[in-house]
Amino acid sequence: MTLNLLIWRQKDAGSAGKMVPYTISNASPDMSFLEMLDMLNEDLIKKGEEAIEFDNDCREGICGMCGFVINGVAHGPRRATAACQVHMREYRDGDTITIEPWRAKAFPVIKDLVVDRSAFDRIMAAGGYISVNVGEAPDANALPIPKDDADQAMDAAVCIGCGACVAACPNASASLFVGARITQFALLSQGKPERKRRALNMVEQMDKEGFGDCSNHAECEAVCPKEISISNIAAMRREYLKAIVR
């Protein structure tokens, strides 16, 4: 396959960036998107040019490290799929593909397609945990948790923190990420002692980081590789209101 690529290149956080055209002529339909970028980087290095920087780790859609906007869609064309799991058979010979980093004030570009997502870490540090030392994990049936609650908590817990929700949102909101993290613990007995404090601290930290507010466009749900439901945003709002009305 021959593909025409338009890729965002930016030397560092303080430099202006621009879209740079590249052509790759020997891509296999069975390659993953990241393998295609690896091939391009090998060609660039052979020519004495600087390789394109992009985040990646497990390449199995689990870790949440990969992430960029492909033809205007966070993570690319396939629903419920991270960028690392997109394959070149999604495209046709001769296609033009644009590749850009996440665009958000709270995710400043470090270099090329790499952005600083440490804002998510600070939100988690503000309350996305259970601080009580509970010792070893109890038997799965020791805590009487209704199955519906357990299922909903697990559905929220599968969030991999990739940031696609922020990149897709016209307001650059992190509400889906924060909502999933708050919901994950609010439904379980282990998370209830710190329930109010968690909601207050995480929402306030989200605002401090410069993320926008949710206006229910649902773009976040559409691009989430784990199909996190926007019902978690409504749950976050309920938890926050309960916390401020003491």
Side-chain angles (χ1 to χ4, degrees):
M1 297 173 65
T2 297
L3 298 167
N4 302 304
L5 308 175
L6 282 172
I7 303 178
W8 183 261
R9 301 303 308 265
Q10 185 170 334
K11 184 178 180 180
D12 53 47
S15 301
K18 63 179 180 179
M19 300 297 287
V20 178
Y22 297 95
T23 299
I24 188 165
S25 58
N26 53 350
S28 166
D30 296 324
M31 281 181 168
S32 72
F33 207 93
L34 299 193
E35 287 172 335
M36 181 273 294
L37 290 177
D38 288 339
M39 178 179 286
L40 175 60
N41 276 341
E42 289 174 5
D43 291 342
L44 292 176
I45 292 170
K46 287 177 183 177
K47 295 175 183 177
E49 299 180 29
E50 192 170 4
I52 298 160
E53 295 289 340
F54 59 92
D55 278 327
N56 68 102
D57 192 359
C58 75
R59 299 196 175 203
E60 294 181 352
I62 297 171
C63 70
M65 281 294 293
C66 70
F68 32 77
V69 176
I70 305 171
N71 286 346
V73 180
H75 282 306
R78 183 170 288 274
R79 188 176 178 86
T81 305
C84 61
Q85 293 289 286
V86 173
H87 288 80
M88 302 319 296
R89 52 181 167 266
E90 298 289 333
Y91 304 94
R92 297 178 181 178
D93 186 41
D95 276 357
T96 296
I97 305 173
T98 62
I99 309 171
E100 303 172 78
W102 294 158
R103 301 289 190 183
K105 178 182 177 181
F107 286 168
V109 175
I110 297 174
K111 185 175 182 179
D112 295 337
L113 303 175
V114 179
V115 299
D116 182 356
R117 288 176 281 186
S118 60
F120 274 8
D121 297 330
R122 291 188 289 273
I123 291 171
M124 290 296 291
Y129 54 84
I130 294 171
S131 62
V132 177
N133 185 357
V134 295
E136 295 183 358
D139 182 83
N141 296 319
L143 296 174
I145 300 171
K147 186 177 186 304
D148 287 346
D149 288 349
D151 288 346
Q152 190 176 343
M154 287 301 296
D155 287 344
V158 297
C159 171
I160 58 177
C162 64
C165 51
V166 176
C169 177
N171 306 325
S173 173
S175 293
L176 189 65
F177 168 77
V178 178
R181 295 309 187 194
I182 289 175
T183 301
Q184 172 186 345
F185 293 117
L187 294 166
L188 303 178
S189 55
Q190 299 97 319
K192 289 183 179 177
E194 298 170 297
R195 188 172 181 172
K196 291 185 177 181
R197 185 171 62 191
R198 178 182 301 110
L200 283 172
N201 290 348
M202 293 187 76
V203 171
E204 288 174 1
Q205 186 64 39
M206 174 176 65
D207 292 340
K208 288 178 184 177
E209 296 294 341
F211 292 105
D213 194 18
C214 172
S215 51
N216 294 320
H217 283 260
E219 293 287 345
C220 54
E221 182 181 273
V223 301
C224 177
K226 298 302 177 182
E227 297 187 294
I228 305 294
S229 170
I230 58 171
S231 63
N232 289 289
I233 298 176
M236 174 190 71
R237 288 172 170 168
R238 289 193 297 270
E239 291 295 321
Y240 184 74
L241 286 173
K242 289 176 185 177
I244 61 175
V245 181
R246 299 175 186 244

